[in-house]
Amino acid sequence: MADFIHKPQSAALAFMVAGAVWFVVGAVYGMFSAIHLVAPEFLPHVAALVFGRERPVHINTMLYGFTGTMLIGSGLYYLPALLRTRLWSEPLAWVAFLFWNLTVLSGPVGFAFGLTQGREYNEYVWLADVSLVIAVACLIVDTGLTIAQRREPQLYVSVWYFMAALLWTACNYPLGNVMWHPSTGAMPGLIDSLFLWFWGHNLPGLLITPLATGAAYYVIPRVTRTPLNSHTLSLLGFWFLIALYSHIGGHHVLQSPIPNWLKTVSVVDSISMILPVSIVVINLWLTARGFGGRVWSDPSARLVMGGIVWYIITCIQGPLQSLPFLQRVTHFNNWTVGHAHIAMLGFGGYIALGAMWHVLPLVSGRPVYSQKLVNLQFGLITLGLTGFFLVLTMAGLVQGSAWHNGETVLRVLPEIAPFMVLRAALGIFILTGSLVGLFNLYMTLRPVPEPELLRRAEEAA
């Protein structure tokens, strides 16, 4: 065991395997949630599986457990590779792995027994918060010292994004989770909504987005076998993200009595996010221009490019729905749920999976067991998520329009019932996709005879 945790890239592999496991766990809880929206009486005597407990497990496990864990794993591989050195301390990365996954595990274990702070996207209890901060601190030390001992003078943009995601999380997570109030993890009154949405929006924007963007900037040039179109442009997008993203969470509480200046800043900067998003998309598109065949024929790059497409849709929808007059119809209903799914599973999740399938052979020294299964996973998740997006958007418009015209919540429920049935049916595709991915990962890593490895290498070639 002691030798294993010193083995180069072993922590990166552990993070990616854990991410694949958490994807299945999160999808299972998502499936239960979807069933309960159709049949609330399903498993009525299992307290751990009531909707109010299983939904936060689903959300936190998918965000931190699946997307975050898998992206950190791929980052722990490409960071030393880009710097032409080894990770400063493999055991320290394992310590981070332990504390990070303890936090994620506290979701299914703790929330099931009502151990939650009850704040959306900030549900982890104080001890789990501490565990996550320790994990991030270990990764910062490890990453920082790896950068310090690098042999490559240029810091490629993926290194910037990976390091920044850790630093931003170390600063923002304790603030948004009000960690100086261990008993509640909350501020009194309306002010708490500002702290809550400060982290609630920075979680996707300043943790998942930079991790996913850094991974995309690593995978696409490698698959197309071309240099990045513009390193200067990529850094411009990086600094725009910092300048604009950290204070747009206020657009979630525009309909509440928060200061008008904060509402204005939130909306203006939300619209301005078109700048960093456009830079990332244009830069990657220009990098891949003329080499579309290479991207399409590589299942991992196809997943990454699929994530970029979802990124475009998300970041057209997101700024528009921050406008107050549109929010009156699109907020607090299934429209927002659909938006959250394409942002986290579509953008972050696709790129996390693409980066994992790209990095896995480099970390393990084995070809992926089956590229056809990667294609199958891509197809299943794309079918499920596209359906999710359409169904939830339509359900949200039905709810929002009815409420805006004075209809009661109760009377609208029968109208959205068919949409909830479709949602549950589509969830089967996503759950199946997660299981196919975990099976493919297991078959890739399990001990096999030499002829089998040769067969996989020929298939991959």
Side-chain angles (χ1 to χ4, degrees):
M1 184 65 183
D3 291 339
F4 184 72
I5 65 171
H6 286 86
K7 183 181 177 183
Q9 301 158 3
S10 58
L13 181 59
F15 267 100
M16 289 190 289
V17 171
V21 173
W22 288 126
F23 186 17
V24 174
V25 175
V28 167
Y29 274 92
M31 197 69 237
F32 275 116
S33 300
I35 292 171
H36 274 138
L37 287 171
V38 177
E41 70 281 4
F42 180 64
L43 297 176
H45 303 301
V46 184
L49 291 179
V50 297
F51 184 80
R53 295 184 180 182
E54 67 199 9
R55 181 179 179 274
V57 175
H58 164 62
I59 291 172
N60 286 278
T61 304
M62 293 297 267
L63 285 174
Y64 294 95
F66 160 44
T67 311
T69 306
M70 200 172 276
L71 286 169
I72 289 173
S74 60
L76 287 176
Y77 169 78
Y78 68 65
L79 183 95
L82 289 169
L83 299 173
R84 293 196 297 153
T85 186
R86 284 189 172 186
L87 193 65
W88 179 72
S89 171
E90 204 68 38
L92 189 60
W94 273 99
V95 174
F97 171 84
L98 174 66
F99 281 101
W100 180 274
N101 283 281
L102 280 175
T103 300
V104 178
L105 182 64
S106 75
V109 174
F111 299 163
F113 297 96
L115 297 174
T116 169
Q117 291 184 336
R119 303 164 78 237
E120 191 172 14
Y121 298 112
N122 298 262
E123 283 97 345
Y124 288 134
V125 296
W126 186 75
L127 282 176
D129 292 341
V130 172
S131 178
L132 187 138
V133 171
I134 291 173
V136 173
C138 291
L139 290 171
I140 289 173
V141 171
D142 218 357
T143 303
L145 292 173
T146 303
I147 293 172
Q149 68 174 14
R150 73 187 190 275
R151 288 185 289 175
E152 168 57 49
Q154 184 180 24
L155 287 178
Y156 184 66
V157 65
S158 297
V159 178
W160 286 70
Y161 273 113
F162 187 76
M163 186 63 180
L166 300 174
L167 290 172
W168 289 332
T169 302
C171 296
N172 294 336
Y173 187 89
L175 193 59
N177 283 270
V178 194
M179 286 183 64
W180 59 95
H181 285 169
S183 60
T184 62
M187 298 289 286
L190 177 65
I191 192 71
D192 187 61
S193 65
L194 298 180
F195 280 86
L196 187 158
W197 281 112
F198 176 74
W199 175 246
H201 213 79
N202 283 345
L203 166 57
L206 294 181
L207 174 60
I208 302 300
T209 295
L211 289 175
T213 306
Y217 271 129
Y218 177 72
V219 173
I220 295 301
R222 273 183 55 85
V223 172
T224 57
R225 299 192 288 278
T226 56
L228 181 64
N229 170 66
S230 169
H231 194 251
T232 303
L233 200 59
S234 67
L235 292 183
L236 189 64
F238 173 87
W239 289 110
F240 267 128
L241 182 70
I242 295 178
L244 298 173
Y245 207 101
S246 61
H247 37 276
I248 66 176
H251 70 218
H252 282 279
V253 283
L254 290 182
Q255 316 300 333
S256 65
I258 64 172
N260 280 332
W261 67 265
L262 185 54
K263 294 181 181 180
T264 305
V265 168
S266 299
V267 173
V268 170
D269 284 353
S270 296
I271 298 296
S272 302
M273 278 299 296
I274 191 91
L275 291 172
V277 173
S278 300
I279 287 172
V280 170
V281 172
I282 291 171
N283 211 9
L284 286 172
W285 178 73
L286 290 176
T287 301
R289 187 175 57 171
F291 301 99
R294 293 177 185 173
V295 173
W296 184 252
S297 61
D298 186 305
S300 63
R302 197 184 312 146
L303 274 162
V304 171
M305 269 304 182
I308 295 300
V309 171
W310 283 119
Y311 192 36
I312 297 171
I313 298 171
T314 301
C315 294
I316 292 173
Q317 198 184 44
L320 288 177
Q321 67 194 34
S322 72
L323 298 172
F325 66 92
L326 280 179
Q327 249 192 39
R328 290 169 194 158
V329 176
T330 62
H331 218 49
F332 301 121
N333 56 48
N334 277 293
W335 171 291
T336 315
V337 181
H339 175 71
H341 275 84
I342 63 169
M344 288 299 93
L345 179 57
F347 167 53
Y350 270 53
I351 294 180
L353 289 169
M356 181 194 73
W357 292 123
H358 183 79
V359 165
L360 185 63
L362 305 172
V363 172
S364 64
R366 294 159 173 257
V368 172
Y369 169 68
S370 171
Q371 297 290 341
K372 291 178 182 175
L373 287 181
V374 181
N375 290 332
L376 177 62
Q377 185 184 40
F378 175 82
L380 287 168
I381 295 176
T382 300
L383 181 61
L385 184 61
T386 304
F388 257 41
F389 175 55
L390 296 175
V391 166
L392 292 172
T393 299
M394 287 188 285
L397 289 174
V398 170
Q399 289 176 298
S401 300
W403 297 345
H404 191 57
N405 287 290
E407 191 56 275
T408 62
V409 171
L410 182 64
R411 287 170 62 90
V412 179
L413 289 178
E415 295 182 35
I416 64 167
F419 297 103
M420 295 300 100
V421 173
L422 284 172
R423 171 186 175 152
L426 291 163
I428 296 172
F429 292 100
I430 295 175
L431 174 58
T432 307
S434 70
L435 289 167
V436 167
L438 185 60
F439 173 75
N440 203 11
L441 182 63
Y442 166 74
M443 295 298 286
T444 300
L445 298 177
R446 75 188 175 107
V448 291
E450 191 69 23
E452 174 66 14
L453 288 177
L454 290 174
R455 183 197 65 77
R456 291 186 203 170
E458 289 172 358
E459 181 184 315

